[in-house]
Amino acid sequence: MSDRFYPAAYTKTIPQGEVCWQAPSNIALIKYWGKKEIQIPRNPSLSFTLTACATRTSVGFSLRTDHSSDYSIDFYFEGEKKEDFLPKINTFLKRAQPYLPFLSTYHFEIRSENTFPHSSGIASSASSMAALAICFVDIERQLLGLPEEALDHTKASFIARLGSGSACRSVQGKIVEWGVHEETNGSSDLYGIDWEEEAHEIFKTYHDTILLIDQGEKQVSSTVGHGLMEDHTYAERRFSQAHEHLSQLQEALRSGDLESFTTLVELEALTLHAMMLTSNPSFILMKPNTLKVIRRLQHFRETSGLHPCFTLDAGANVHILYPDSEREEVYQFIKNELVGYCENGGYICDMVGNGAKKINASASKTLVK
Ligand code: DP6
């Protein structure tokens, strides 16, 4: 299956160059929680691609003369050289090497920055790994002598997955599914597929206001988190539940049924946290204010007849999802009644977007030297 991602022989020698891409974060509606080697999910997941929360990455490349190590990388985050990111990048390059054989023949200067504050508690692995993967696939496109429009987005998603599972859902499309699901044609454990076409229009302009309840470092790394599902009492039931929820959510996404959408999205968020609460060791990642926000949101929904719902990541922050047609009323409610529960009043207004885009390095704050 992954044979399709081995490249043809490179037809060009390019001594040096630079590519620059911006990739967004995504918010899972059906959660990926539990994986096998290497980066194979234990259940299918589905997410909204975001817009505002994104990573911009430029990769400068020049042919190596020194071959004393497997890879030669200088990595800068927000303009500062960071050695501590190198082990993660090295692991990623090792996994990607069979599919991108040029990786060991070039020196890379990687410069990365996020559009959202570093301390916001928002995981950047999806957007950062997606941006880096698509930069590499773009370099390979050039080595193959192919035009811009021939860039292989599926391969970019496949490579992004090797860096971080959820990153494969940040490459292309507004709604992306990843993981084999019997009822989805073309679904794969190896890359994300664009599910946008099947969805009702209402979901293509959905809003996601992210309430920053706790802006600290993540308490549970995703590696530890996925590991908790290894011998979890409820693991097998959870994995099959994700398949069932995905089928039901697809139905709601097709028909525009906001009641079912709300029920399923909130159930998935709470199930993710239920898995953490009942693992060994267990983790309580919600904060008192997470629960207060959830209660107020549910009360607002009941009394207003509007349709905002919440979802959660592996942390305390709350994502409030709502349709564009309700944006004014819901945003007013968020500002008046929920922002007070956020740390330092912090929140981010985001919405569904299209995926990664090529950018000019000079358009960015720190990517240019
Ligand atoms: C709770 O993609 O960060 O956000 O593959 O180990 O990098 P790794 O994990 P990661 O896990 C994301 C978990 C989640 C749910 C989701 O996005 O589906």
Side-chain angles (χ1 to χ4, degrees):
M1 266 287 273
S2 29
D3 291 4
R4 123 147 185 48
F5 298 109
Y6 293 120
Y10 298 147
T11 54
K12 292 236 168 143
T13 312
I14 304 176
Q16 61 183 48
E18 189 188 34
V19 292
C20 192
W21 282 80
Q22 172 166 322
S25 183
N26 66 73
I27 180 66
L29 308 177
I30 302 293
K31 307 291 183 183
Y32 149 56
W33 199 241
K35 66 178 170 184
K36 301 179 267 195
E37 288 296 319
I38 294 166
Q39 299 293 97
I40 299 297
R42 298 291 303 263
N43 65 258
S45 57
L46 181 137
S47 52
F48 279 160
T49 306
L50 297 178
T51 309
C53 292
T55 300
R56 296 187 186 122
T57 297
S58 75
V59 177
F61 55 102
S62 50
L63 274 172
R64 276 174 86 178
T65 43
D66 163 26
H67 291 276
S68 56
S69 57
D70 289 345
Y71 300 106
S72 173
I73 306 157
D74 285 325
F75 180 78
Y76 297 81
F77 182 68
E78 318 225 304
E80 268 178 51
K81 198 164 183 175
K82 296 272 183 199
E83 302 279 339
D84 43 336
F85 284 58
L86 289 178
K88 193 159 187 201
I89 298 177
N90 268 296
T91 305
F92 172 49
L93 296 195
K94 259 192 205 128
R95 288 176 184 167
Q97 175 73 40
Y99 310 101
L100 298 170
F102 71 92
L103 290 177
S104 55
T105 59
Y106 281 94
H107 168 72
F108 297 105
E109 186 176 297
I110 304 171
R111 291 174 175 268
S112 201
E113 64 188 24
N114 293 334
T115 57
F116 49 91
H118 189 44
S119 60
S120 58
I122 294 185
S124 62
S125 68
S127 54
S128 61
M129 284 301 174
L132 188 55
I134 200 160
C135 282
F136 286 139
V137 172
D138 196 13
I139 296 170
E140 178 167 82
R141 172 191 66 74
Q142 297 177 33
L143 294 170
L144 290 165
L146 297 172
E148 296 261 354
E149 56 284 6
L151 188 123
D152 187 344
H153 284 87
T154 306
K155 178 159 180 176
S157 173
F158 171 86
I159 297 291
R161 185 198 100 242
L162 300 175
S164 176
S166 55
C168 79
R169 300 188 312 237
S170 274
V171 173
Q172 192 180 36
K174 294 181 199 292
I175 302 173
V176 181
E177 184 177 327
W178 166 46
V180 170
H181 177 238
E182 217 171 82
E183 289 172 33
T184 311
N185 281 338
S187 59
S188 171
D189 282 344
L190 304 180
Y191 46 82
I193 61 166
D194 187 351
W195 207 81
E196 178 184 334
E197 224 171 85
E198 292 202 40
H200 189 284
E201 286 302 312
I202 197 167
F203 296 111
K204 299 183 186 174
T205 52
Y206 239 64
H207 291 260
D208 177 6
T209 301
I210 309 164
L211 303 177
L212 306 176
I213 305 291
D214 179 31
Q215 306 194 22
E217 282 284 301
K218 282 211 294 184
Q219 202 186 324
V220 184
S221 74
S222 56
T223 314
V224 171
H226 292 290
L228 296 174
M229 292 305 282
E230 296 275 299
D231 46 13
H232 194 294
T233 312
Y234 304 127
E236 291 312 318
R237 186 63 199 100
R238 159 60 196 156
F239 300 140
S240 45
Q241 180 200 45
H243 285 261
E244 294 150 22
H245 279 173
L246 179 55
S247 302
Q248 292 161 16
L249 185 73
Q250 287 178 334
E251 207 36 57
L253 287 171
R254 279 193 199 99
S255 64
D257 176 350
L258 298 186
E259 269 83 29
S260 308
F261 176 82
T262 297
T263 305
L264 289 161
V265 167
E266 296 191 350
L267 190 52
E268 273 292 307
L270 295 174
T271 302
L272 170 71
H273 280 255
M275 290 301 108
M276 291 185 274
L277 287 168
T278 51
S279 59
N280 186 7
S282 78
F283 292 93
I284 305 175
L285 298 186
M286 289 190 243
K287 298 278 182 205
N289 280 355
T290 310
L291 295 173
K292 285 182 188 152
V293 162
I294 290 174
R295 287 237 179 282
R296 290 201 88 131
L297 178 81
Q298 290 179 331
H299 181 256
F300 173 75
R301 194 164 62 223
E302 277 153 28
T303 50
S304 67
L306 298 171
H307 300 88
C309 67
F310 73 85
T311 187
L312 307 164
D313 261 338
N317 295 339
V318 184
H319 292 244
I320 310 280
L321 306 175
Y322 50 99
D324 191 55
S325 54
E326 299 180 3
R327 70 176 183 278
E328 272 159 36
E329 298 94 319
V330 176
Y331 185 57
Q332 271 313 318
F333 159 71
I334 291 173
K335 277 210 306 202
N336 296 342
E337 295 194 39
L338 301 185
V339 167
Y341 295 111
C342 299
E343 193 175 343
N344 305 318
Y347 66 98
I348 297 173
C349 292
D350 211 333
M351 70 183 298
V352 167
N354 293 313
K357 56 181 187 206
K358 197 161 183 167
I359 52 168
N360 193 337
S362 57
S364 168
K365 297 185 292 204
T366 54
L367 291 180
V368 276
K369 280 165 264 175

